[in-house]
Amino acid sequence: MFKKILIANRGEIACRVIKTARRMGIQTVAVYSDADARAPFVQMADEAVHIGPSPAAQSYLIADKIIAACKQTGAEAVHPGYGFLSERTSFAEALAAENIAFIGPPVGAIAAMGDKIESKKLAKQAGVNVVPGFVGEIEDTEHAVRISDEIGYPVMMKASAGGGGKGMRLAYSEKDVREGFESVKREGLNSFGDDRVFIEKFILDPRHIEIQILGDQHGNILYLNERECSIQRRHQKVVEEAPSPFVTPSMRKAMGEQCVALARAVGYYSAGTVELIVSGADKTGESFYFLEMNTRLQVEHPVTEAITGIDLVEQMIRVAYGEKLAMTQDDVKIDGWAIENRVYAEDPYRGFLPSTGRLVRYNPPLAGWTDDGEANGRRGVDGVRVDDGVYEGGEVSMFYDPMIAKLITWGRTRDEAADRQIAALDAFEIEGLGHNIDFVSAIMQHPRFRSGELTTGFIAEEYPEGFHGAATSDALKRTLAGLAGFLATARADRSRQIDGQLGDELDPPSSWAVKIAGETHAVEVGGDTITVDGAEIDLALEYTPGDRIIHAEADGEALIVKVEAKASGLRLTTRGAIHDVQVLPGHIAHLARHMIEKVPPDMSKYLVCPMPGLLVALNVGEGDAVEAGQPLAVVEAMKMENILRAEKAGKIKAVNAKAGDSLAVDAIILELE
């Protein structure tokens, strides 16, 4: 077995690989950029080598620096993780030239599957279903429009070398093609060094289902069941689960066998994933089509590990060393259900804008996953696992992917796994930047998610006006009102015990007017009872002023609530929603109606930068007339281009920025008359 391996990656996946290598008795080497000098993966590795400035193009994407680090430390093999150099043939070839093992598939397979155009041709030859589309070279925008008209709308435009949701645009009309084609080319060129684009038919009611492949260098190839990854935003996966609620045993077998045939056709070994687009409208399960093959470890691999008990990183290392798989297809089982939510640095309450900055507080529901080598251990602790690579006080920078952590839960049933997600998300503390914890919790509770009727349009269809918090039942609002009254009493009780106060010691107030979601409730806190609007509620909890998380029991069910003190009350966050609660003593609450409310200024005449980013393009100038919905500027953040449009018709009064400027959040780009 290898004695020392280098991980050519960063963040949570670097931590993940290091943990398994450590259990296998293999020493590890980390490589890091300026931005990652204090990152956890650097501390965890046995050795660490600095490879350059923060931008990935000057550090993690330079193969020569990785190879130099291998030579410096004596690393015998490289695990590329996902992203960066993981699917770059030139990197695998350069390693082979230096007699350094690549912990991944052979170069030929990477090349064959890395080009989406060529991979579709190969898939068709191997007997795999493929989506109708144009797989040749597209000359320009006019050519793209002609092709799209021939295929029939809607169509998907994709960068040939794309991945991770980058370099993709959905077009429902010629106008969409004209607007998006050049952006797809630019994103492909900037992220992958390849501006070729292909166009294919967009499948209606599409489900995104993928098959995990595992093969060795001796001709053995298995499929490790499927994962459902249909819940996506801007083609970036948000929720993944295994198995899929849509896939039947016969469908699983048909899909798996086709995917194995494709892998065999390119001489594949190591871990890999064949992604399929499946028509949810066809209940026979026969309408599945090849999308692409990712010749690497997937972000969502833990859900497969949880239901199969197979450590995919360990298997990759063993295969790279030349060992045979110790299992057969009959050994691959499905035990329970696993769900993964990606915790992103983005603000769903502000249109999912990317959020960068310092993690002022980072407190996951349990410590990061520890690899104990046991199959059940891949499910974490009591069915909860956190894969992360950040730390409290660290920074989520603009240079890399916005993922903070992955939360994986396992249960005997799908509902049990989802319930564990909700509880774990309620206990997950992140402060200092925007995050999507409330949003993914809302998805876990959504009736449509629970029914399993998923498509890749789930988020757009269920949250057409954006996200404003999960729906909250009247019963939960009453419970939170009672909780707020109890907390207010406890805080008042603490305040009255401060030494040096004038007058006699007073009893703390017990009558409160609690305003939540626009409704005011009369709350009475007695010795052992709490009443809301005259009715006693079933609520048990312990609280000490200063506690940030409360573990309560309401109506016999566990309830976890995050608490933050505000000037006029409390901010309570639970079950995917934030509740700003006003709490006033009952005898003065009626005076609140006399308080003056501050009216926010009208910002509709300004185009403001919604996130820190680079102004890639400015489409208008001073004096230009614009219409509502017209593209005004393009801002790049977290490697993604965002088109900013006019909210209303008007005339440009002033231009305050130019293409190439780095902009802060809320920076004013344009002003309309």
Side-chain angles (χ1 to χ4, degrees):
M1 180 48 65
F2 301 120
K3 291 182 173 59
K4 185 184 290 187
I5 65 173
L6 180 145
I7 297 94
N9 217 297
R10 62 176 299 279
E12 70 87 14
I13 190 58
C15 294
R16 164 73 184 90
V17 176
I18 289 169
K19 289 173 182 177
T20 289
R22 180 185 292 166
R23 174 175 58 78
M24 296 174 69
I26 301 170
Q27 289 189 310
T28 56
V29 179
V31 291
Y32 64 94
S33 69
D34 290 346
D36 286 332
R38 297 180 179 84
F41 75 94
V42 177
Q43 309 299 320
M44 288 174 61
D46 296 297
E47 299 174 68
V49 179
H50 177 251
I51 56 168
S54 300
Q58 300 174 45
S59 51
Y60 296 106
L61 287 171
I62 299 181
D64 289 347
K65 291 188 175 184
I66 306 296
I67 291 170
C70 289
K71 291 179 176 179
Q72 177 184 329
T73 58
E76 307 158 79
V78 171
H79 195 301
Y82 49 74
F84 294 145
L85 298 171
S86 62
E87 295 178 282
R88 192 165 294 185
T89 54
S90 58
F91 179 55
E93 288 169 341
L95 289 175
E98 298 292 343
N99 201 30
I100 300 168
F102 179 68
I103 301 175
V107 172
I110 300 174
M113 293 294 105
D115 186 316
K116 288 185 171 62
I117 294 173
E118 293 303 316
S119 67
K120 286 185 180 298
K121 295 177 182 176
L122 282 166
K124 197 168 184 177
Q125 291 168 11
V128 181
N129 304 340
V130 297
V131 179
F134 184 86
V135 294
E137 292 279 344
I138 300 176
E139 299 161 11
D140 52 26
T141 300
E142 293 303 322
H143 190 198
V145 169
R146 290 198 302 273
I147 291 166
S148 301
D149 289 342
E150 289 171 9
I151 294 172
Y153 295 99
V155 298
M156 180 69 80
M157 299 177 289
K158 296 184 183 179
S160 181
K166 299 177 186 68
M168 301 174 74
R169 286 288 189 282
L170 179 58
Y172 285 95
S173 65
E174 177 183 328
K175 177 175 176 286
D176 293 341
V177 176
R178 292 188 182 280
E179 275 189 14
F181 182 72
E182 289 300 326
S183 279
V184 174
K185 289 189 71 172
R186 279 198 303 270
E187 286 184 7
L189 185 63
N190 292 339
S191 295
F192 310 103
D194 185 343
D195 69 352
R196 289 178 302 154
V197 175
F198 72 95
I199 299 178
E200 66 184 12
K201 179 72 174 174
F202 184 71
I203 305 299
L204 295 174
D205 293 337
R207 299 181 78 116
H208 187 120
I209 295 174
E210 58 191 31
I211 300 291
Q212 176 69 58
I213 294 294
L214 180 64
D216 62 24
Q217 298 186 48
H218 306 277
N220 301 302
I221 305 177
L222 312 176
Y223 62 91
L224 307 184
N225 306 312
E226 80 284 350
R227 295 184 288 258
E228 171 102 39
C229 309
S230 294
I231 297 183
Q232 305 175 5
R233 198 186 67 78
R234 292 187 64 173
H235 315 297
Q236 178 73 54
K237 298 165 191 171
V238 176
V239 181
E240 299 105 347
E241 60 182 305
S244 163
F246 184 71
V247 174
T248 62
S250 60
M251 186 179 176
R252 180 176 298 119
K253 186 172 186 292
M255 287 173 139
E257 288 176 353
Q258 279 198 22
C259 295
V260 166
L262 175 61
R264 199 175 298 284
V266 294
Y268 200 90
Y269 57 77
S270 191
T273 296
V274 180
E275 303 202 353
L276 305 167
I277 196 79
V278 181
S279 173
D282 183 357
K283 302 303 180 183
T284 66
E286 295 176 0
S287 299
F288 60 86
Y289 308 95
F290 172 78
L291 196 59
E292 63 181 334
M293 184 174 188
N294 291 313
T295 55
R296 54 170 169 79
L297 193 66
Q298 292 281 92
V299 175
E300 56 272 22
H301 73 272
V303 293
T304 295
E305 294 184 329
I307 66 164
T308 63
I310 297 169
D311 185 326
L312 287 168
V313 172
E314 177 184 350
Q315 294 302 318
M316 291 181 75
I317 294 171
R318 293 191 181 282
V319 166
Y321 191 68
E323 294 185 11
K324 287 185 176 182
L325 294 179
M327 69 203 80
T328 66
Q329 190 64 59
D330 290 339
D331 296 324
V332 179
K333 307 296 183 186
I334 297 178
D335 183 8
W337 213 287
I339 298 173
E340 174 181 294
N341 275 307
R342 300 189 188 189
V343 178
Y344 280 127
E346 62 183 17
D347 191 345
Y349 293 100
R350 296 186 65 198
F352 297 93
L353 294 176
S355 182
T356 58
R358 195 162 301 284
L359 285 164
V360 175
R361 188 176 306 284
Y362 177 73
N363 186 24
L366 75 170
W369 175 72
T370 302
D371 186 358
D372 62 3
E374 296 297 320
N376 286 346
R378 290 177 195 117
R379 300 168 181 165
V381 178
D382 296 327
V384 180
R385 168 177 165 178
V386 175
D387 281 20
D388 61 11
V390 299
Y391 64 99
E392 188 167 285
E395 187 176 359
V396 176
S397 78
M398 63 180 286
F399 299 106
Y400 312 117
D401 187 88
M403 189 167 67
I404 298 171
K406 301 184 312 198
L407 178 65
I408 303 101
T409 55
W410 176 90
R412 284 289 167 197
T413 65
R414 187 170 183 267
D415 281 341
E416 186 179 341
D419 288 342
R420 284 180 173 166
Q421 279 284 342
I422 296 165
L425 289 163
D426 279 345
F428 207 134
E429 288 185 276
I430 296 176
E431 294 178 14
L433 42 72
H435 57 78
N436 68 336
I437 285 176
D438 287 351
F439 179 62
V440 290
S441 177
I443 292 174
M444 294 296 98
Q445 301 169 62
H446 200 288
R448 181 174 162 190
F449 173 79
R450 290 301 183 118
S451 74
E453 295 295 322
L454 312 178
T455 71
T456 55
F458 178 93
I459 290 175
E461 292 160 8
E462 298 302 327
Y463 302 97
E465 303 300 322
F467 178 72
H468 307 289
T472 305
S473 68
D474 290 340
L476 181 55
K477 289 176 190 173
R478 289 169 53 81
T479 295
L480 292 177
L483 176 71
F486 181 87
L487 302 190
T489 298
R491 293 170 68 196
D493 187 50
R494 168 67 67 85
S495 297
R496 75 186 178 89
Q497 296 178 46
I498 296 173
D499 191 30
Q501 298 188 77
L502 295 174
D504 298 329
E505 187 176 284
L506 300 172
D507 291 331
S510 59
S511 297
W512 303 93
V514 179
K515 187 175 182 180
I516 181 170
E519 298 177 1
T520 301
H521 301 274
V523 178
E524 293 283 341
V525 180
D528 297 315
T529 61
I530 300 174
T531 62
V532 177
D533 299 329
E536 185 176 337
I537 62 171
D538 181 9
L539 179 65
L541 71 149
E542 291 184 4
Y543 171 71
T544 301
D547 287 350
R548 298 189 306 272
I549 291 187
I550 294 173
H551 293 262
E553 189 174 286
D555 296 320
E557 293 187 4
L559 179 67
I560 302 172
V561 183
K562 289 190 276 282
V563 179
E564 182 183 352
K566 290 291 185 181
S568 62
L570 301 163
R571 170 166 287 182
L572 305 179
T573 305
T574 188
R575 302 288 172 89
I578 296 171
H579 302 277
D580 285 321
V581 183
Q582 186 185 63
V583 186
L584 296 172
H587 66 283
I588 64 169
H590 66 282
L591 300 175
R593 67 177 182 272
H594 300 295
M595 297 297 290
I596 298 172
E597 289 189 21
K598 184 177 180 181
V599 179
D602 178 16
M603 296 295 290
S604 63
K605 66 178 181 177
Y606 299 104
L607 177 70
V608 299
C609 188
M611 73 212 85
L614 178 71
L615 185 59
V616 174
L618 194 58
N619 302 331
V620 293
E622 191 171 320
D624 289 354
V626 298
E627 296 297 326
Q630 179 179 334
L632 301 180
V634 180
V635 174
E636 181 187 282
M638 296 288 191
K639 305 179 188 175
M640 299 285 281
E641 290 192 358
N642 303 272
I643 299 174
L644 308 184
R645 301 176 185 274
E647 291 185 7
K648 61 182 181 181
K651 187 177 181 181
I652 303 298
K653 178 181 179 182
V655 178
N656 301 321
K658 63 182 183 301
D661 286 355
S662 291
L663 303 176
V665 64
D666 293 334
I668 295 175
I669 301 172
L670 303 170
E671 182 180 353
L672 281 74
E673 291 182 351

